[in-house]
Each structure stands twice: as C-alpha cells, then as structure tokens.
Amino acid sequence: MSPHSPAPAAYHTLDTDGIRAFLAGVPALAARLGGPAAHWRIREVSDGNLNNVFLIDGPQCGVCFKQSLPHVRVDPAWKMPLDRTFYEAAYLREIRPCVGALTTDILHFDPDLYVLVVESLDRHVVLRRGLMAGGDWPDAARAVGEFVAHGTFRTSLLAAPFEEITRRLDVFSGNRTLTRITVDLILTDPYRDHPRNHWISPELDSIAAEIRTDPRVRRRVGAMQARFLTCRQALLHGDLHTGSIMVSDDDTRVIDGEFACPGPIGFDCGLFIGNLLLHLFACRDSGGQDRAVRNIVQFWTSFHDTFLELWRTSARQDGNGDAYATTLFRNDPSGLRQAQADFMQDVTTDTIAFAAMEVIRRLVGYAHVPDFDTIPDLAARAGRQGAALALGRDLLADPGLVTSIADLASLARDRTG
Ligand code: SR1
Ligand code: MG
C-alpha cells in the first residue's frame, strides 16, 4: 500500500458543490447522511494549518470531510505533496483496533482526490479551545494517556514479532512529507536562524538567542534529533497537541493522525505535555493553573500505568513480542520489573526533552499556539512566554533538572509565579 506519486491527474480541490456531488456518489456515505443531497448542510470548519475540513449534516447523520491541499492551507506559497490524508487513513486503520472509540471511525478514503471521510464529532469541542475558554474535562487527560499507551504498546516490539511490527512501521516511514515538517519545525528551526521563526520582539529576543547559542542546548537537541529519527519504538500519532483532541462531557477522541510515523514513545507524550505546559503558562488564574497541572499528572499516570499493565498482562500470557521476550524473563520476575522500570525511565527522559522542544517551537518557531491570545496586554503575554521559554531552555540544558513528570509539573507551576 502506498500513495500515488506525483499527484494523480484526477486531483482537484473540492468546493461545497463538489463535496455534495462527491458524497452523493459514494452510496454508503449518501445512505448514512440520508435524504436528498440538496438538503445536506455543509460547513467549512478548517482549523489546522494543513487541510480543508468540512462538516456535513444530513437528516439522519453527519460526516466529517477532509481533503489534502497541494500546499499548506495557511500558507499557499508553501507547496506540499498530497499524501498526508493517505497516511492519516492508514493510521486510523492501524490504530482503531488498538484504541477503539478513543479515535474516530474511518468511513471512506479516496486515493485520487486525497479525501478522507470520518465520523462527525459535532457535539465535541477542540480541547485547546475549550481549555482557553476556561472549560474543564476531568476525564480527557486520562483518556489521552490510555490512547497513547494502547496505540504505542500494541505497535511496539513488546507486543508482537518483529516481522509484523516492522512491516507496519515501514509503511509509515514513507510519511516523509510531514516527517520533514516535524524535523524542520520542531527539531531544527528554533535552534538556528531561519526566516520561518518569529516571536514577540524585542521582548523575547534575548531568550530566543540564548536558546540558539547555548552549547548545552545544542548538544541535547542534537541527541533528540537522532533519537526521533533512529528510535523506531512504536507507531506514533506524531502531532499530539491539544488541537488534535476533541472532547465532550462524556467522550474524548484523538484526531488528525496525518503525521503518523515510527519513533520514540516519549515524542507523543512530550508533545501532549508540552502543550499542557503552554496552557499552564498562559493561565493567569490559580484554578486554571491547578487544572493544567492536574491534567499533566493525570495524563502521565494513565499512560504509564496502562502501558505497564499491558506489558505485564502480555508477559503473563506468554506474549510473543521479540523485545524483552517472555522467555528471557520467565524465571526472573524481579529482573523483568527492573527492565520495565528502566524502559519507562527512558520514555520519561524523552518525554521531558520533547516537551521542552514543543514549548520552544510553539513560541519562537513557525507554528505558534493561540493559548496566549487570552492575555491582551503584550508585555504580560511576553512575560509569560519568556518564562515558558526559560523553562524549556533549562530542561534541555540540564537533563538532571527534573527526572519525573510530577517534578516537571510542579517546577512549571512554581515558575508561573
Ligand atoms: C506547516 S504545518 C505546521 C504545524 O501544524 C501541524 O499541526 C503540526 O504541528 C506542524 O508542525
Ligand atoms: Mg493537525
């Protein structure tokens, strides 16, 4: 299975009339929506940087329509191959059996138009926007932790023989277009002069320069670049920020898996925690800060405990993963416990570093987050962002500064002042 390359001649970007005709031409989708196509309500809800997204409501049901564009949606001059919806569809097919209803159901993929249709989540809100509005979803962070634990454990060599695992990871190694974006925007640009970088200037000029020139940061960033590109621990979501999560009162879904790639498990954990840290620094009320800290700890506890429970269950049932093979530890339960603790500590170390890099890139790189827009005063906003950047710098410069997620959350809380 691989995407077309280059773009198929049949590709064109669909407008609302085109979307209506497209959906009417797929019997299963037309039946799901119900009624005559002319009665369907079509709304554009594009919110991310890359794709067109529409919600379509029929008399019976709704669907969500997503189409790759031949460029970055928010920057038409930045040309880009179309294959990202192919990888998002492939990710959903792989991950849905592992995580169930913690993500969306895939309804249709069109390989010529790079159209992906998934179930509509129209009673949900984007977690980032909800948090910015002061909302609280007490179960969301736990659910995201379960999503990461199930998705990464089951696609790792702990769960199945290497033939099965590497066959899957090899498909996603082909997601070079979006992996290049990650390598550039998260792992490289903030640590060099680049025209894509921007920040509140002149207020943040000095901390941005410190991040670019500190030799300890440079060494750590180099090591994390290598870690991201060489540690094929599991199939990652690859862009697990708070804008990739939809929540309702009783439901949490992880969406937008177009950046899926093989990589270190701490990358997904780090991106999610990095975005919760950004939200924490953007919160000025202590209630919001408490909730942000609680979300960080709940996410990590849920991820950590679920991942270990999956591993223990697999070992008890003579699981057939080729790494930390059951046969190796059959008569050495304490050795297995120590190996598991070492493994989780490595994931923790990766998580802290990638969280720091996510905080930094969202404040001085290309793609900023809107969380700080809730602070109208520019000097106050710059002050909060400067504190977050200083934390990111310190975490990278000194790997011993914190070694647990609980300590990371409480250090961040202390530094919000
Ligand atoms: C050009 S894409 C910029 C960012 O948006 C996506 O959501 C990813 O986070 C990417 O880094
Ligand atoms: Mg996205």
Side-chain angles (χ1 to χ4, degrees), residues 240-263:
L240 194 62
H241 57 84
T242 46
S244 296
I245 291 149
M246 306 280 295
V247 287
S248 71
D249 286 346
D250 58 0
D251 192 38
T252 300
R253 307 288 188 104
V254 176
I255 62 165
D256 272 5
E258 62 202 334
F259 282 79
C261 62

Side-chain angles (χ1 to χ4, degrees), residues 4-15 19 22 50-54 65-73 79-86 109-116:
H4 290 294
S5 183
Y11 176 84
H12 55 285
T13 306
L14 297 180
D15 59 12
I19 293 169
F22 173 85
L50 292 173
N51 309 299
N52 277 354
V53 182
F54 292 82
F65 171 102
K66 183 168 186 176
Q67 186 175 30
S68 300
L69 299 170
H71 54 80
V72 172
R73 186 182 71 85
K79 303 301 174 203
M80 189 156 288
L82 297 160
D83 52 6
R84 52 197 181 272
T85 43
F86 166 86
F109 176 66
D110 185 300
D112 295 320
L113 292 170
Y114 289 94
V115 162
L116 173 64

Side-chain angles (χ1 to χ4, degrees), residues 191 216-217 220-221 353 356-357 360 392-399:
Y191 311 96
R216 299 166 304 168
V217 171
R220 192 79 189 287
V221 167
M357 295 174 79
I360 290 170
R393 177 206 52 203
D394 295 347
L395 291 168
L396 292 176
D398 177 5

Side-chain angles (χ1 to χ4, degrees), residues 16-17 19 32 52 54 57-59 119 129 140 218 249 252 266 277 280 288 314 321 330 369 390:
T16 50
D17 289 341
I19 293 169
R32 185 181 176 97
N52 277 354
F54 292 82
D57 295 314
E119 63 183 306
R129 299 282 169 188
R218 192 178 304 130
D249 286 346
T252 300
L277 288 171
L280 167 63
S314 167
R330 184 157 285 138
V369 287

Side-chain angles (χ1 to χ4, degrees), residues 48-50 72-75 78 80 128 178 181-186 196 238-241 243-244 256 258-259 271 275 358 361-362 366-368:
N49 293 314
L50 292 173
V72 172
R73 186 182 71 85
V74 296
D75 185 355
W78 187 345
M80 189 156 288
R128 186 190 304 284
L178 293 201
I181 289 189
T182 295
V183 168
D184 285 347
L185 298 195
I186 302 182
R196 280 190 292 245
D239 195 26
L240 194 62
H241 57 84
S244 296
D256 272 5
E258 62 202 334
F259 282 79
L271 258 54
N275 280 271
E358 176 70 357
R361 75 98 170 200
R362 292 293 192 181
Y366 173 80
H368 288 207

